[in-house]
Amino acid sequence: MLKRGYAIAAACLAAAVAVTAFTPNAPSAFVSNQAARSALFGGPSVAHDASSTELSMSTVEAEATGTGTALEDYVKARGGNLPIKKVLIANNGMAATKAILSMRQWAYMELGDENAIKFVAMATAEDLKANAEFVRLADTFVEVPAGKNLNNYANVDVITKVAQENGVDAVWPGWGHASENPKLPNTLKAMGIKFIGPPGPVMSVLGDKIAANILAQTADVSSIPWSGSYGGPEDGPLQAELNDEGTIPDEIFEKATCRSVEEAVEAAKYIGYENGIMIKASEGGGGKGIRFVDNEEDLKNAYVQVSNEVVGSPIFLMQLCKNARHIEVQIVGDEHGNAVALNGRDCSTQRRFQKIFEEGPPVIVPPETFRQMERAAQRLTQSIGYVGAGTVEYLFNADTGNYFFLELNPRLQVEHPVTEGITGTNLPSTQLQVAMGIPLYNIPAVRKLYGKEDIYGTDPIDFLVDEYKDIDSHVIAARITAENPDEGFKPTSGSIERIKFQSTSDVWGYFSVGANGGIHEFADSQFGHLFATGPTREAARKSLVLALKEIEVRGEIRTTVEYLVQLLETQEFKENTIDTSWLDGLIKEKSVYVEKPAHDVVLGAAILKAREHIMTETAAVVESLEKGQVSTAGIAGITSFNLEIAYKDTKYPFHVELTSPDVYLFTVNGNSIDVPVTVTAEGGLVAEFGGETHRIDGRDEPLGLRLSLDGVTILMPTIFDPSELRTDVTGKVVRYLQDNGADVEEGTPYVEVEAMKMIMPIKASESGKITHALSPGTVISAGDLLASLELKDPSKVKKILNFEGALDVTAAEIETDGKAAVDNILAGYKGDAEAAAQAAFADASDLASASATVVEAFNEYLRVETIFDGKLKDDVVRQLAKDNAASLESVIDINRAHGVMDTRNKLVLGLLRQVETFSDRFGEAALPEDLLAPLEQLSNLKGREYGEITIAADSIIRQTKIPAFEVRVADLRKQLLDSETDIVALAKSSTLSAGVDLLVSLFSDEDAKVRAAAAETYVRRVYRAHRIIDLSVDDVDGRIECTWSFRFADVPEDQSVVRNGILSVVPEGGSLDAALPKILDDFGGKLDSDASSENPVNVVHVALVGGSDAAADEKAITDNKSKLNMIGVRTVNTIIPVAKNDPLYYAYPQCNGYTEDPLRRNMRPTFHHLLELGRLDQNFDLQRLPAVGRNVQVYIGSEKTAKPMRTGPPQVLFVRGISVTPGLVSSAGASRALVQGLDELERAQANSKVSTQASPVSSSTLFPSLRVPPRRLPRSSVRSWIRSRASLPTVF
């Protein structure tokens, strides 16, 4: 487990990382001010100090408000002399991010105020564009020149200018950039600004390799044999104290230097060639000025090479340390002469001297030996007056137990959190406190490490004598870098869309970029660092492996994450038997690699080839148009085509279709997968499949496709005829090894070729009789045919098999909203027109938004089709090419859309059907003017191919001309008052279809004649499907009462029972409770005889003009249950008029005990019988679902069964409707009605109450049911419609 102090820090940092990696907000202890963030993302980035917010107060304001008091008191109490309130972070990336997080966390934990110290960041344009995390974390930032670091973070003049202009108290340099440039601390000292690090002279002497080794020897630190090990008469190691200028005396320095070849040869004799010798330039680095030799002759040549590479640099010799481990001791010195060793790290996993993993404590070193290494590091630190954090690096030989000084890094290192994890110290905050002049033994974290009970005490600690507490945990760190391990760890740059990482109690990490950030070309390749802790090394290793397997970085960059997992799982790393050359050896041998799943490779290749096909075919059409050709036949092949991929003796036949400009639908063996594909600025592809984002690139070569998938290169050979022998090298034929026509065996050489001055044989891949294809001396290229074979046994040749089954690749979840689906279909891409028309209105909450969606779609359809309407296609294409000569791709776009007219027409028809529902859906009869304009244009299209659309659009336009509610009511009233109006004819008229509910609003008309006529017309209209025998209307005590007798029309008259009905209109102020007994008495008095309650046949309708309460009505009805039964009432219906709208309907059937039946609510009284819902209710438990159409009812029926079922009883969706439209008797009319029913069904299937498990759609059947006189509907209309939609999996 973590030390307690470190656990707190880790928890805080982990919390910050967990949030900042995914959201723009972070915990208050780690956030920058909002104004700075606004400056970062919104405005110009020249000077960015948000002084208007609390978080960006100046130092003076902080003092005035008391913010600085706690800090000043702390520094004074701890023995310091310089409260530092404002710090310039002269670094970027990981360094800047970690520094701000750590120091801010310390300020809060120690001082209770995370804002006690203000942070000023430097940011380049590249950092701002990359959404760098450190800029967000800082209180303010200053934009500095862009480009390479010599312009900014390594430029001392820029750093000191920013520091002075922003009034900072100190500068934190981090690592890299200017952190080891002695000019920086020297210049800051002259300005009176504190440098958080060692003094300039000390940094200067440590920067020279010869001087550093002499200083180490002076401090009794073991050094590997080198040219400075032999400086006296007895060949003792050179030693020296720094002079007044802070440098090594020249005479001592020169003794370690080899100024000539002869001096180098002499020094080598002392060192010995047994292990090899390194010749180094003291001022070299980065691979320059260094050579390895193992003999005198090579030494002489190498000396000249080194001196020429680093001109003017002193040169020295050093013995090569073989089988070495890279061990570090973390030291901190203060200005009071103290130096503490905070344990150390093992950084032996290196690639070309670049660390990959770091871990601590370095368990490979015996405890006593490591204690010696710590003491030596402390002596060296104290001897030179080192102040601040630093690292003494050693080479350790695990076989001999010997260790040797390597160098002292005068700065903090990126892997310092390893030390924090095992010691519980916060190193950036320790640096800060040392810079404030606080002695090391007064720093609470240091005192805690040394087991002091009073961590706020001031009693001294003798760090060269006293021991810190035992380390009881192990930490392993992994650097997350934007590098490609499959291409020699080549750095990559680009955007980062998302970093998925969640810290745990065992693993935490931090990143220098957040979501929608990136790695720019001038940034360090490392953008993340993970730290795993455990009680043992193995526990920490396992935790790190799991964390690396879970981390996900999406974007354009390539990372080493997968490779790191492979390294951690090697036996050498598990057993800790590695050395500094181990990883370079693995890379050279390519023994660790990442193998991509076969189907990922196949799909990646298919994506690449599909993109190439699209580009090639598009270019071909463009070229054709440029030549004046008008054929558009090739356009369809751009978005729908076949391709074949061969991999590992298997052929994969794909059919590819584009469903949008950047989504490819790949189908193989009937199984499909959608893949979003993005083309990067560099021309590569980024595709999403298998739950991941993949980078794809590649090129065709003579022998096949060289594919790069996520940085892994795969050669996919072209399938050649096995009887063809081809070369895989470029060169020339030297000679054939068999005569022409001779037999050759598989695996034996048949020809020699010369390539790169080497003679090499090429072996036959099969056995057979050979025929030479070329002559000796012929120049050849890779892929050329060298010979052909008459196969000895064709049956034994390896066969290429066709792939069967489905790809083992998870499809990406593509969220396409309805509008995007409509746009894609209109643009000519593959899609489901019916589904898109439905989905387009999924989010429409009002008429305005729904109309806007339709208008945009109709206008896009018309934009294309009006170009072609009534014209010859060739003429249109010719004119388009002329008008768009500079952008012929737009001509392709227009013709691609027009080329899928059938699908586009289906979409537009589907949208028109949706428009027809607007009045019911949104309660507004009138359509917006901006929608009527495109409807007019659609209705005016001339071509026969637009016939259905023009009719549908014209029909909607006609419907919009229906007058307003008040006007229609007035017109109906006028008809009823007209003495020449035939009430019977009016009730049956088709013109009354939309106005039947208007009659209810006339039940309360002031004219009694109108009230009576309205009641009669209403009854005759509602019961028009029945045979009305007689009907009368009377005024009873101020109530209009209409009574009638009737029979069912679908039962022979001699078998049909006579039924009776009454409609009573209760005027304003009346109630059902008061009126119902009298209504029933009147009704009963008019019946010939009592009806049997066992077979009730009569109906009661009550219109409550003044409104009513459904619960009160139900009580009033049930209170009269006995009377209702006595007179044989089958159903009581109440009608509640609603001002300027359709009335409300409630039904109280006798079979329900005269309680309301929710299934019949707002259903006209006779619909229940006409829709035969009673029959459905016998076999299903029905539940009504919302429907858009006024005359349509949608029900979900759960089968009534006593048999228990795991997924519930089977469900069936029922859509039933009544239509009296005259056009229904035509084929087009019947099709229209049925399609409207299917629209309702499709909407219903999206209802959450419909269980896809209980009602498997794939096994549903289509049952058309039309309630019209059979003689008026041609059977051929239904048959043709069913045939055209036989594959629809629906129930109607």
PDB file of all heavy atoms in Angstrom, residues 289-308:
ATOM      1  N   GLY A 289      29.698  12.308 -31.052  1.00  0.00           N
ATOM      2  CA  GLY A 289      30.922  12.384 -30.271  1.00  0.00           C
ATOM      3  C   GLY A 289      31.114  11.200 -29.343  1.00  0.00           C
ATOM      4  O   GLY A 289      31.613  11.360 -28.219  1.00  0.00           O
ATOM      5  N   ILE A 290      30.756  10.013 -29.795  1.00  0.00           N
ATOM      6  CA  ILE A 290      30.930   8.813 -28.983  1.00  0.00           C
ATOM      7  C   ILE A 290      31.176   7.629 -29.899  1.00  0.00           C
ATOM      8  O   ILE A 290      30.513   7.481 -30.922  1.00  0.00           O
ATOM      9  CB  ILE A 290      29.701   8.580 -28.064  1.00  0.00           C
ATOM     10  CG1 ILE A 290      29.928   7.361 -27.170  1.00  0.00           C
ATOM     11  CG2 ILE A 290      28.422   8.452 -28.879  1.00  0.00           C
ATOM     12  CD1 ILE A 290      28.861   7.209 -26.096  1.00  0.00           C
ATOM     13  N   ARG A 291      32.212   6.820 -29.569  1.00  0.00           N
ATOM     14  CA  ARG A 291      32.543   5.641 -30.364  1.00  0.00           C
ATOM     15  C   ARG A 291      32.983   4.514 -29.428  1.00  0.00           C
ATOM     16  O   ARG A 291      33.553   4.757 -28.350  1.00  0.00           O
ATOM     17  CB  ARG A 291      33.679   5.925 -31.350  1.00  0.00           C
ATOM     18  CG  ARG A 291      33.341   6.850 -32.500  1.00  0.00           C
ATOM     19  CD  ARG A 291      32.393   6.202 -33.486  1.00  0.00           C
ATOM     20  NE  ARG A 291      32.222   7.040 -34.674  1.00  0.00           N
ATOM     21  CZ  ARG A 291      31.403   8.081 -34.749  1.00  0.00           C
ATOM     22  NH1 ARG A 291      30.706   8.437 -33.682  1.00  0.00           N
ATOM     23  NH2 ARG A 291      31.309   8.780 -35.871  1.00  0.00           N
ATOM     24  N   PHE A 292      32.735   3.308 -29.868  1.00  0.00           N
ATOM     25  CA  PHE A 292      33.188   2.125 -29.128  1.00  0.00           C
ATOM     26  C   PHE A 292      34.335   1.477 -29.899  1.00  0.00           C
ATOM     27  O   PHE A 292      34.242   1.282 -31.113  1.00  0.00           O
ATOM     28  CB  PHE A 292      32.049   1.123 -28.960  1.00  0.00           C
ATOM     29  CG  PHE A 292      32.500  -0.234 -28.488  1.00  0.00           C
ATOM     30  CD1 PHE A 292      32.817  -0.431 -27.150  1.00  0.00           C
ATOM     31  CD2 PHE A 292      32.641  -1.297 -29.372  1.00  0.00           C
ATOM     32  CE1 PHE A 292      33.245  -1.679 -26.708  1.00  0.00           C
ATOM     33  CE2 PHE A 292      33.068  -2.535 -28.934  1.00  0.00           C
ATOM     34  CZ  PHE A 292      33.368  -2.733 -27.592  1.00  0.00           C
ATOM     35  N   VAL A 293      35.417   1.133 -29.177  1.00  0.00           N
ATOM     36  CA  VAL A 293      36.560   0.440 -29.795  1.00  0.00           C
ATOM     37  C   VAL A 293      37.037  -0.662 -28.860  1.00  0.00           C
ATOM     38  O   VAL A 293      36.793  -0.621 -27.650  1.00  0.00           O
ATOM     39  CB  VAL A 293      37.730   1.410 -30.086  1.00  0.00           C
ATOM     40  CG1 VAL A 293      37.318   2.482 -31.081  1.00  0.00           C
ATOM     41  CG2 VAL A 293      38.248   2.045 -28.803  1.00  0.00           C
ATOM     42  N   ASP A 294      37.734  -1.632 -29.438  1.00  0.00           N
ATOM     43  CA  ASP A 294      38.297  -2.701 -28.601  1.00  0.00           C
ATOM     44  C   ASP A 294      39.728  -3.036 -29.004  1.00  0.00           C
ATOM     45  O   ASP A 294      40.263  -4.088 -28.647  1.00  0.00           O
ATOM     46  CB  ASP A 294      37.429  -3.956 -28.647  1.00  0.00           C
ATOM     47  CG  ASP A 294      37.234  -4.472 -30.062  1.00  0.00           C
ATOM     48  OD1 ASP A 294      37.900  -3.962 -30.997  1.00  0.00           O
ATOM     49  OD2 ASP A 294      36.398  -5.384 -30.251  1.00  0.00           O
ATOM     50  N   ASN A 295      40.368  -2.121 -29.798  1.00  0.00           N
ATOM     51  CA  ASN A 295      41.788  -2.317 -30.128  1.00  0.00           C
ATOM     52  C   ASN A 295      42.405  -0.960 -30.457  1.00  0.00           C
ATOM     53  O   ASN A 295      41.697   0.029 -30.723  1.00  0.00           O
ATOM     54  CB  ASN A 295      41.972  -3.287 -31.298  1.00  0.00           C
ATOM     55  CG  ASN A 295      41.285  -2.815 -32.565  1.00  0.00           C
ATOM     56  OD1 ASN A 295      41.786  -1.901 -33.232  1.00  0.00           O
ATOM     57  ND2 ASN A 295      40.124  -3.416 -32.889  1.00  0.00           N
ATOM     58  N   GLU A 296      43.736  -0.932 -30.453  1.00  0.00           N
ATOM     59  CA  GLU A 296      44.457   0.329 -30.607  1.00  0.00           C
ATOM     60  C   GLU A 296      44.256   0.946 -31.982  1.00  0.00           C
ATOM     61  O   GLU A 296      44.128   2.176 -32.112  1.00  0.00           O
ATOM     62  CB  GLU A 296      45.950   0.111 -30.342  1.00  0.00           C
ATOM     63  CG  GLU A 296      46.773   1.392 -30.365  1.00  0.00           C
ATOM     64  CD  GLU A 296      48.223   1.159 -29.969  1.00  0.00           C
ATOM     65  OE1 GLU A 296      48.454   0.438 -28.966  1.00  0.00           O
ATOM     66  OE2 GLU A 296      49.107   1.701 -30.660  1.00  0.00           O
ATOM     67  N   GLU A 297      44.227   0.130 -33.026  1.00  0.00           N
ATOM     68  CA  GLU A 297      44.098   0.664 -34.378  1.00  0.00           C
ATOM     69  C   GLU A 297      42.746   1.371 -34.544  1.00  0.00           C
ATOM     70  O   GLU A 297      42.671   2.484 -35.099  1.00  0.00           O
ATOM     71  CB  GLU A 297      44.217  -0.474 -35.402  1.00  0.00           C
ATOM     72  CG  GLU A 297      44.348   0.006 -36.836  1.00  0.00           C
ATOM     73  CD  GLU A 297      45.597   0.847 -37.067  1.00  0.00           C
ATOM     74  OE1 GLU A 297      46.621   0.605 -36.392  1.00  0.00           O
ATOM     75  OE2 GLU A 297      45.520   1.764 -37.902  1.00  0.00           O
ATOM     76  N   ASP A 298      41.685   0.724 -34.062  1.00  0.00           N
ATOM     77  CA  ASP A 298      40.363   1.362 -34.138  1.00  0.00           C
ATOM     78  C   ASP A 298      40.327   2.620 -33.278  1.00  0.00           C
ATOM     79  O   ASP A 298      39.635   3.597 -33.612  1.00  0.00           O
ATOM     80  CB  ASP A 298      39.276   0.390 -33.683  1.00  0.00           C
ATOM     81  CG  ASP A 298      39.044  -0.740 -34.674  1.00  0.00           C
ATOM     82  OD1 ASP A 298      39.509  -0.611 -35.815  1.00  0.00           O
ATOM     83  OD2 ASP A 298      38.402  -1.738 -34.299  1.00  0.00           O
ATOM     84  N   LEU A 299      41.056   2.596 -32.167  1.00  0.00           N
ATOM     85  CA  LEU A 299      41.085   3.754 -31.287  1.00  0.00           C
ATOM     86  C   LEU A 299      41.634   4.981 -32.017  1.00  0.00           C
ATOM     87  O   LEU A 299      41.089   6.082 -31.916  1.00  0.00           O
ATOM     88  CB  LEU A 299      41.950   3.447 -30.061  1.00  0.00           C
ATOM     89  CG  LEU A 299      42.249   4.628 -29.118  1.00  0.00           C
ATOM     90  CD1 LEU A 299      40.968   5.146 -28.491  1.00  0.00           C
ATOM     91  CD2 LEU A 299      43.234   4.212 -28.041  1.00  0.00           C
ATOM     92  N   LYS A 300      42.697   4.792 -32.766  1.00  0.00           N
ATOM     93  CA  LYS A 300      43.305   5.915 -33.490  1.00  0.00           C
ATOM     94  C   LYS A 300      42.329   6.514 -34.506  1.00  0.00           C
ATOM     95  O   LYS A 300      42.212   7.733 -34.618  1.00  0.00           O
ATOM     96  CB  LYS A 300      44.579   5.449 -34.187  1.00  0.00           C
ATOM     97  CG  LYS A 300      45.697   5.034 -33.230  1.00  0.00           C
ATOM     98  CD  LYS A 300      46.897   4.502 -34.007  1.00  0.00           C
ATOM     99  CE  LYS A 300      48.004   4.066 -33.039  1.00  0.00           C
ATOM    100  NZ  LYS A 300      49.175   3.507 -33.764  1.00  0.00           N
ATOM    101  N   ASN A 301      41.631   5.642 -35.234  1.00  0.00           N
ATOM    102  CA  ASN A 301      40.664   6.138 -36.213  1.00  0.00           C
ATOM    103  C   ASN A 301      39.470   6.809 -35.540  1.00  0.00           C
ATOM    104  O   ASN A 301      38.985   7.852 -35.980  1.00  0.00           O
ATOM    105  CB  ASN A 301      40.180   4.989 -37.106  1.00  0.00           C
ATOM    106  CG  ASN A 301      41.287   4.409 -37.956  1.00  0.00           C
ATOM    107  OD1 ASN A 301      42.212   5.130 -38.356  1.00  0.00           O
ATOM    108  ND2 ASN A 301      41.214   3.114 -38.237  1.00  0.00           N
ATOM    109  N   ALA A 302      38.984   6.191 -34.465  1.00  0.00           N
ATOM    110  CA  ALA A 302      37.800   6.714 -33.792  1.00  0.00           C
ATOM    111  C   ALA A 302      38.071   8.063 -33.134  1.00  0.00           C
ATOM    112  O   ALA A 302      37.194   8.924 -33.084  1.00  0.00           O
ATOM    113  CB  ALA A 302      37.314   5.709 -32.746  1.00  0.00           C
ATOM    114  N   TYR A 303      39.265   8.246 -32.651  1.00  0.00           N
ATOM    115  CA  TYR A 303      39.608   9.530 -32.013  1.00  0.00           C
ATOM    116  C   TYR A 303      39.426  10.674 -33.014  1.00  0.00           C
ATOM    117  O   TYR A 303      38.869  11.721 -32.686  1.00  0.00           O
ATOM    118  CB  TYR A 303      41.045   9.496 -31.493  1.00  0.00           C
ATOM    119  CG  TYR A 303      41.445  10.760 -30.764  1.00  0.00           C
ATOM    120  CD1 TYR A 303      41.281  10.862 -29.387  1.00  0.00           C
ATOM    121  CD2 TYR A 303      41.965  11.850 -31.455  1.00  0.00           C
ATOM    122  CE1 TYR A 303      41.629  12.024 -28.716  1.00  0.00           C
ATOM    123  CE2 TYR A 303      42.311  13.027 -30.795  1.00  0.00           C
ATOM    124  CZ  TYR A 303      42.136  13.107 -29.432  1.00  0.00           C
ATOM    125  OH  TYR A 303      42.477  14.267 -28.767  1.00  0.00           O
ATOM    126  N   VAL A 304      39.920  10.453 -34.239  1.00  0.00           N
ATOM    127  CA  VAL A 304      39.791  11.485 -35.277  1.00  0.00           C
ATOM    128  C   VAL A 304      38.320  11.744 -35.598  1.00  0.00           C
ATOM    129  O   VAL A 304      37.889  12.892 -35.758  1.00  0.00           O
ATOM    130  CB  VAL A 304      40.557  11.060 -36.546  1.00  0.00           C
ATOM    131  CG1 VAL A 304      40.349  12.088 -37.660  1.00  0.00           C
ATOM    132  CG2 VAL A 304      42.039  10.895 -36.240  1.00  0.00           C
ATOM    133  N   GLN A 305      37.516  10.678 -35.665  1.00  0.00           N
ATOM    134  CA  GLN A 305      36.096  10.834 -35.976  1.00  0.00           C
ATOM    135  C   GLN A 305      35.376  11.639 -34.895  1.00  0.00           C
ATOM    136  O   GLN A 305      34.580  12.543 -35.197  1.00  0.00           O
ATOM    137  CB  GLN A 305      35.444   9.459 -36.136  1.00  0.00           C
ATOM    138  CG  GLN A 305      35.956   8.677 -37.335  1.00  0.00           C
ATOM    139  CD  GLN A 305      35.428   7.250 -37.346  1.00  0.00           C
ATOM    140  OE1 GLN A 305      34.781   6.810 -36.403  1.00  0.00           O
ATOM    141  NE2 GLN A 305      35.740   6.520 -38.418  1.00  0.00           N
ATOM    142  N   VAL A 306      35.664  11.332 -33.629  1.00  0.00           N
ATOM    143  CA  VAL A 306      35.015  12.040 -32.530  1.00  0.00           C
ATOM    144  C   VAL A 306      35.421  13.513 -32.522  1.00  0.00           C
ATOM    145  O   VAL A 306      34.587  14.405 -32.336  1.00  0.00           O
ATOM    146  CB  VAL A 306      35.355  11.372 -31.187  1.00  0.00           C
ATOM    147  CG1 VAL A 306      34.898  12.245 -30.012  1.00  0.00           C
ATOM    148  CG2 VAL A 306      34.700  10.011 -31.095  1.00  0.00           C
ATOM    149  N   SER A 307      36.683  13.777 -32.730  1.00  0.00           N
ATOM    150  CA  SER A 307      37.150  15.165 -32.719  1.00  0.00           C
ATOM    151  C   SER A 307      36.554  15.967 -33.864  1.00  0.00           C
ATOM    152  O   SER A 307      36.353  17.182 -33.740  1.00  0.00           O
ATOM    153  CB  SER A 307      38.689  15.212 -32.785  1.00  0.00           C
ATOM    154  OG  SER A 307      39.144  14.603 -33.989  1.00  0.00           O
ATOM    155  N   ASN A 308      36.256  15.298 -34.988  1.00  0.00           N
ATOM    156  CA  ASN A 308      35.634  15.987 -36.115  1.00  0.00           C
ATOM    157  C   ASN A 308      34.125  16.202 -35.903  1.00  0.00           C
ATOM    158  O   ASN A 308      33.548  17.152 -36.424  1.00  0.00           O
ATOM    159  CB  ASN A 308      35.846  15.190 -37.414  1.00  0.00           C
ATOM    160  CG  ASN A 308      37.290  15.254 -37.887  1.00  0.00           C
ATOM    161  OD1 ASN A 308      38.015  16.200 -37.578  1.00  0.00           O
ATOM    162  ND2 ASN A 308      37.718  14.242 -38.630  1.00  0.00           N
TER     163      ASN A 308
END
